[in-house]
Amino acid sequence: MLYNSAFMTTKFNVVLLPGDGIGPDVTYEAVRVLEAVEAKLEGVEFAFVEKPCGANEYLRNGDPLPAATVDACRAAHATLLGAMGLPGVRWPSGTEMTPQIDIRETLDLYAGMRPIKLYNQAHSPLKPRPGSIDFVLYRENCEGLFFGRKGAFDPQAPEVRDIMCISRRGAERICRAAFHHAMHRRKQVTLVDKANVLPSMAYFRGIFHEVAKEFPEVKTDAVYVDAASLYLVQRPESFDVLVTENMFGDILSDLAAGLVGGMGMAPSADIGDQHAVFQPSHGTAPDIAGKSIANPIATILSAALMLEWLGHPETIRGARLIEAAVAGLCNDASFATRDLGGSVSTTECGAAIAAAVK
Ligand code: ATP
């Protein structure tokens, strides 16, 4: 993973953006676990400050992403985000509020890193197979097919086009991030594209192969996105690091989450050269909000990614403590929130992980 080794501090300021729906429920469980970790670390402190953001903030003040919130994220060492957006709260044009995407673009968090790991075979809808599911998906976050998302929308127009933008800079940096990570794993990177059909994707593939020359130890292959969907289901254990454009990554990360228990088990990190935001891959899940049945593990594992990214030896140790606690508890298939077939509540799950860390 990309470390931020620039920090020489031991006091880390973390902005919390709980957001909407189940966002606050899962964020506060992650904070509970981080506080348990802090007590185990030598000389490291976390200072949390909560900032408003999301669809509810739009209803309150007319802006889902206040400038003061962005400034706080810029000034902090890292940001932990819950989830944002509500289907019933829309812009006059009809689209949903997506401040979590706006933050990625504003802070230039180009590397969407989504680790997919199976903690218990019972979580997977796949039949038991030799080898375990353990791969990382790198999604380009700032261009690709999301490039045109802010374009004007005219429902009366005779046609509407969305542009896929792949820039040399954007493709180079996301491929490099994936290769760097692979160097610390099983040294294999798979490009997912549609280079047989789209010129932008053929361009992406060319740049991928150029970047690959910088990493001669890493094995590479390239698959079309339709085939990738098939192989992820048929032989997920064969993947180490995957890299792809924005929309393909958006879709494949939900598919990948489904292999290991669903959205409640899929953490993510949005990383740039200066800043990073850590959040579960899932959305606000309005269908289960306010019932204490959301699975907080994705957010808690995102907090672990944050500790790793902070790059201090003690925060890296803290990340390992969280991973070990989650792995240990998940060994027992009866430790399961409702999405995993059990009845452990959101708060019970967070408390159990915090206790295991201690
Ligand atoms: P977005 O587009 O904002 O990412 P989405 O529309 O893809 O959101 P989610 O909010 O991620 O949808 O929810 C998809 C499904 O996964 C829903 O059925 C939801 O209840 C479930 N889900 C999401 N997160 C969790 C969680 N933490 N625990 C349990 N179930 C979850």
Side-chain angles (χ1 to χ4, degrees):
M1 127 167 227
L2 305 168
Y3 288 110
N4 189 339
S5 52
F7 297 141
M8 302 307 286
T9 183
T10 51
K11 182 167 179 184
F12 294 97
N13 300 317
V14 177
V15 168
L16 302 176
L17 306 179
D20 307 306
I22 61 170
D25 310 12
V26 294
T27 303
Y28 298 136
E29 293 314 313
V31 170
R32 187 206 295 260
V33 172
L34 284 169
E35 285 171 347
V37 169
E38 185 181 27
K40 299 285 287 183
L41 302 184
E42 291 291 325
V44 164
E45 279 177 66
F46 302 125
F48 299 106
V49 55
E50 188 172 323
K51 292 289 171 187
C53 195
N56 283 318
E57 177 60 14
Y58 171 77
L59 294 178
R60 275 190 296 269
N61 292 316
D63 184 356
L65 182 57
T69 294
V70 176
D71 290 346
C73 295
R74 272 190 219 284
H77 293 109
T79 299
L80 185 64
L81 189 154
M84 288 175 193
L86 291 170
V89 184
R90 290 172 184 265
W91 295 111
S93 67
T95 56
E96 263 188 59
M97 327 251 128
T98 51
Q100 71 283 16
I101 302 177
D102 300 333
I103 289 180
R104 282 176 205 154
E105 292 175 0
T106 306
L107 300 182
D108 201 21
L109 310 178
Y110 58 89
M113 198 264 274
R114 280 127 188 250
I116 295 293
K117 187 167 177 177
L118 182 61
Y119 284 94
N120 189 310
Q121 193 61 250
H123 297 171
S124 181
L126 302 181
K127 282 182 272 177
R129 303 172 53 87
S132 73
I133 302 174
D134 181 3
F135 61 83
V136 182
L137 179 71
Y138 270 82
R139 163 189 176 183
E140 201 292 322
N141 261 347
C142 295
E143 50 181 38
L145 199 45
F146 277 40
F147 177 75
R149 72 187 186 93
K150 287 189 177 150
F153 171 57
D154 174 7
Q156 308 305 329
E159 65 176 43
V160 175
R161 296 180 183 191
D162 291 315
I163 293 171
M164 165 95 82
C165 171
I166 303 292
S167 68
R168 169 165 283 281
R169 173 173 176 263
E172 277 179 358
R173 64 186 186 170
I174 191 65
C175 290
R176 254 185 217 118
F179 276 96
H180 276 298
H181 199 154
M183 289 297 289
H184 298 280
R185 293 180 48 97
R186 301 193 301 275
K187 297 196 171 94
Q188 182 196 318
V189 180
T190 303
L191 171 71
V192 177
D193 64 25
K194 195 67 184 168
N196 51 338
V197 173
L198 297 174
S200 60
M201 294 278 84
Y203 181 66
F204 195 4
R205 189 176 283 211
I207 293 168
F208 171 82
H209 287 306
E210 279 176 31
V211 173
K213 289 188 188 132
E214 299 167 20
F215 301 86
E217 288 172 59
V218 178
K219 274 195 295 178
T220 61
D221 61 346
V223 293
Y224 302 134
V225 64
D226 40 347
S229 313
L230 177 74
Y231 300 150
L232 280 168
V233 174
Q234 285 184 331
R235 50 173 177 84
E237 67 285 346
S238 69
F239 293 102
D240 181 21
V241 177
L242 298 102
V243 61
T244 191
E245 72 86 31
N246 208 338
M247 177 69 96
F248 294 170
D250 186 30
I251 297 168
L252 289 183
S253 51
D254 276 31
L255 187 158
L259 302 175
V260 296
M263 302 311 294
M265 296 301 289
S268 88
D270 295 315
I271 302 174
D273 293 332
Q274 306 294 329
H275 307 284
V277 173
F278 300 83
Q279 62 176 306
S281 293
H282 61 72
T284 53
D287 51 331
I288 57 166
K291 301 179 181 164
S292 196
I293 55 175
N295 183 348
I297 291 179
T299 316
I300 290 167
L301 290 172
S302 303
L305 295 177
M306 178 179 85
L307 295 185
E308 191 168 350
W309 179 78
L310 286 171
H312 187 286
E314 282 296 286
T315 62
I316 293 171
R317 189 164 74 81
R320 300 283 172 268
L321 288 174
I322 296 178
E323 285 155 11
V326 170
L329 287 161
C330 287
N331 252 332
D332 175 1
S334 71
F335 176 76
T337 43
R338 208 183 67 154
D339 51 320
L340 300 175
S343 58
V344 173
S345 72
T346 309
T347 49
E348 286 166 347
C349 184
I353 295 169
V357 161
K358 281 185 188 147

